[in-house]
Amino acid sequence: MSLAEKQVTQLRGLPAVDRVLEMERIGALVERYGRALVVEGVRAVIEGVRASIVANEGYDEGMDWGEAVADWLEGVMGASLVPVINGTGVIVHTNLGRAPLSGAAVAAMAGVAEGYSNLEYDLERGVRGSRTTHGRGRLQRLTGAEAALVVNNTAAAVLLMLSSLAQGKEVIISRGQLVEIGGGFRVPDVLAQSGAILVEVGTTNRTHLRDYEAAITENTAAILVVHQSNYKVVGFTHEPALGELAALAHHHGFPLWYDQGSGALLDTSVYGLAPEPTVGAGIEAGCDLVTFSGDKLLGGPQAGIVVGRADLVARMGRHPLARAVRADKLCLAGLEATLAAYEVGRVEAEVPVWQMIGAAVADIRERAERWAAAWAEVGGVSQVIDGWSTVGGGSLPGTQLATVLVGLVVAEPDIWAARLRQNQPAIITRIQDDLVCFDPRTVLPHQDERLVHDVKRILAESY
């Protein structure tokens, strides 16, 4: 039989949709997924087999059609957003969801998610309230600001600030701060979108107070400072201090705005990190508005936070864009619970980002050695080596923390890393010096047992 004749025979032998629907296992699938979706699955599987025959890619004539349809349905109905184990050593990993949340934050979010809440209801007076009250008092106390507003991310906070307070007016910014961050977000584009007029001053590496002063006109709305939270300019550099810029702006009767970015509320140098200016320091220096993230160094859910002068924050809250970028109940609940840990001095005990940053190298080494010993039981060859973790997430660029890595010695590291990503839960690693490396610093303690077990199983299957 020629190839063409074989293909024709196989194509003619494919079952009709109705025939597959009559198979025993399909009935259970219909009960679970509904008839319409199962029919779509049957057609998709048949068409897939038909394409394989035409392409001469092979076809198992004894295939289990029910199992094939079940696999298709599971792929379609399975969640696309799933938990992973972060073994990369990047603490605030943007691609992996940034900050893992504290138990208190998760509980608070679950509490308002499973039923109703007082999101916009005044329990004392029994009338409509405002979602802007949630977390506001904590933010004021922690930063020393007059007022606070929470939106859905920092880009939205900056856009709202510019749109509500500077539309049609000039905003002065140093050329060294016209940055692009992840996802193609560019400061000049946000300024343009807001309707504000960009006024660039200074150079990439050096901007002086006199440069700002020379750019001031009757149409100046504000000076905007963008903190170098996700990039670093080194060498022959200069930029005025926030206090100097605040004095200049106030002398001419307009505000200073500061996009602090990382949301640091603690002194990072205590943890062996480079000093990161805190949000409170920005307020103390005279900034009229400070914008920052809730899910970077603050360690909470994704949020954009604005703190500062009450009159300016109020104007932002009244702008029509404020409704489009407002935070939802889950964000507000998780953020307030995270802020509570700061207020009672339990950040390192409760907030995972700071637990990881503060982890002792000796404790990390103990975990690494335990993992390596477990994997050796099934023939896994690994090396326990000194290495570096990073903060990541657009925070403290170039700063590293000493850590201890477990490096698996395998023939094809890329294939092994891919196989780990297909695990459930996916295990994300990094390849360094031809080793598949795991950094215990970013693996949550409750994930240890699962990580060790799954890697051990994969190793056993490989040998």
Side-chain angles (χ1 to χ4, degrees):
M1 182 183 295
S2 68
L3 177 59
E5 291 174 330
K6 182 178 180 181
Q7 287 176 325
V8 169
T9 300
Q10 289 179 331
L11 289 171
R12 287 176 176 172
L14 291 179
V17 172
D18 289 344
R19 180 182 161 196
V20 177
L21 289 172
E22 293 172 355
M23 294 179 181
E24 183 176 353
R25 185 173 180 183
I26 299 297
L29 295 176
V30 170
E31 290 183 8
R32 180 177 178 184
Y33 295 106
R35 181 176 177 81
L37 189 59
V38 172
V39 169
E40 183 181 349
V42 171
R43 287 175 174 158
V45 171
I46 293 173
E47 286 305 311
V49 174
R50 189 188 308 278
S52 295
I53 294 171
V54 171
N56 194 31
E57 295 176 350
Y59 159 51
D60 179 7
E61 297 183 21
M63 67 177 288
D64 185 330
W65 289 93
E67 182 178 353
V69 174
D71 289 344
W72 185 91
L73 289 166
E74 288 177 7
V76 169
M77 295 302 293
S80 61
L81 182 62
V82 296
V84 306
I85 295 175
N86 176 15
T88 67
V90 181
I91 296 171
V92 185
H93 200 305
T94 299
N95 297 341
L96 302 184
R98 287 193 177 168
L101 300 180
S102 68
V106 172
M109 295 168 81
V112 300
E114 64 184 359
Y116 298 102
S117 68
N118 65 325
L119 177 64
E120 293 185 354
Y121 188 76
D122 188 321
L123 292 172
E124 184 175 339
R125 296 188 297 149
V127 298
R128 179 168 183 160
S130 171
R131 71 177 64 201
T132 62
T133 61
H134 303 295
R136 184 170 63 193
R138 296 190 192 280
L139 286 166
Q140 290 170 301
R141 291 189 293 271
L142 288 166
T143 65
E146 293 179 5
L149 179 67
V150 181
V151 295
N152 60 9
N153 61 47
T154 315
V158 174
L159 178 62
L160 176 60
M161 179 175 67
L162 293 166
S163 299
S164 60
L165 305 175
Q167 193 168 61
K169 303 194 73 175
E170 297 172 350
V171 175
I172 304 172
I173 184 171
S174 168
R175 286 187 175 89
Q177 297 168 10
L178 295 175
V179 298
E180 176 180 322
I181 60 175
F185 172 81
R186 292 182 172 185
V187 170
D189 294 342
V190 175
L191 277 158
Q193 183 66 37
S194 71
I197 301 168
L198 170 65
V199 178
E200 304 176 28
V201 298
T203 64
T204 302
N205 60 318
R206 290 178 70 81
T207 302
H208 300 273
L209 192 65
R210 63 179 180 271
D211 296 320
Y212 288 94
E213 189 163 21
I216 295 172
T217 70
E218 293 182 354
N219 197 37
T220 300
I223 292 174
L224 172 62
V225 174
V226 179
H227 172 53
Q228 299 175 8
S229 63
N230 72 333
Y231 70 103
K232 181 181 289 188
V233 179
V234 298
F236 188 54
T237 65
H238 178 78
E239 61 181 24
L242 288 175
E244 295 178 285
L245 290 172
L248 175 65
H250 297 162
H251 175 72
H252 288 275
F254 57 79
L256 172 65
W257 301 335
Y258 178 39
D259 180 21
Q260 190 273 346
S262 71
L265 299 179
L266 299 180
D267 180 1
T268 54
S269 63
V270 172
Y271 298 87
L273 299 170
E276 174 80 348
T278 64
V279 175
I283 295 295
E284 289 178 7
C287 296
D288 299 279
L289 289 175
V290 181
T291 59
F292 57 99
S293 175
D295 59 338
K296 292 184 180 179
L297 287 182
L298 197 152
Q302 177 180 303
I305 304 169
V306 187
V307 296
R309 271 173 43 187
D311 60 324
L312 298 180
V313 173
R315 285 174 60 187
M316 291 177 64
R318 292 193 297 267
H319 192 272
L321 184 60
R323 182 175 180 84
V325 299
R326 64 184 181 176
D328 75 337
K329 62 183 180 182
L330 302 184
C331 166
L332 293 169
L335 178 62
E336 190 163 23
T338 304
L339 293 171
Y342 283 87
E343 285 204 284
V344 299
R346 291 188 54 79
V347 178
E348 193 173 324
E350 296 184 12
V351 179
V353 163
W354 288 98
Q355 290 174 333
M356 293 176 186
I357 289 174
V361 174
D363 293 336
I364 297 173
R365 184 178 300 279
E366 187 276 329
R367 292 172 71 191
E369 291 176 345
R370 179 158 41 85
W371 296 0
W375 297 337
E377 294 174 2
V378 291
V381 179
S382 57
Q383 300 175 7
V384 176
I385 56 176
D386 293 334
W388 299 97
S389 308
T390 59
V391 175
S395 304
L396 296 168
T399 299
Q400 296 180 315
L401 287 164
T403 192
V404 179
L405 308 173
V406 184
L408 275 180
V409 181
V410 293
E412 299 175 292
D414 290 330
I415 292 177
W416 253 87
R419 187 171 182 182
L420 290 167
R421 292 196 302 272
Q422 299 309 309
N423 189 63
Q424 293 184 357
I427 301 169
I428 315 300
T429 59
R430 73 180 195 244
I431 297 174
Q432 177 178 310
D433 299 328
D434 291 326
L435 300 173
V436 178
C437 291
F438 304 76
D439 188 341
R441 185 186 293 276
T442 52
V443 176
L444 299 171
H446 73 267
Q447 296 175 325
D448 270 27
E449 184 176 349
R450 183 62 182 269
L451 170 68
V452 170
H453 173 273
D454 286 2
V455 174
K456 192 173 182 178
R457 172 181 51 78
I458 295 171
L459 282 165
E461 293 171 352
S462 303
Y463 295 120

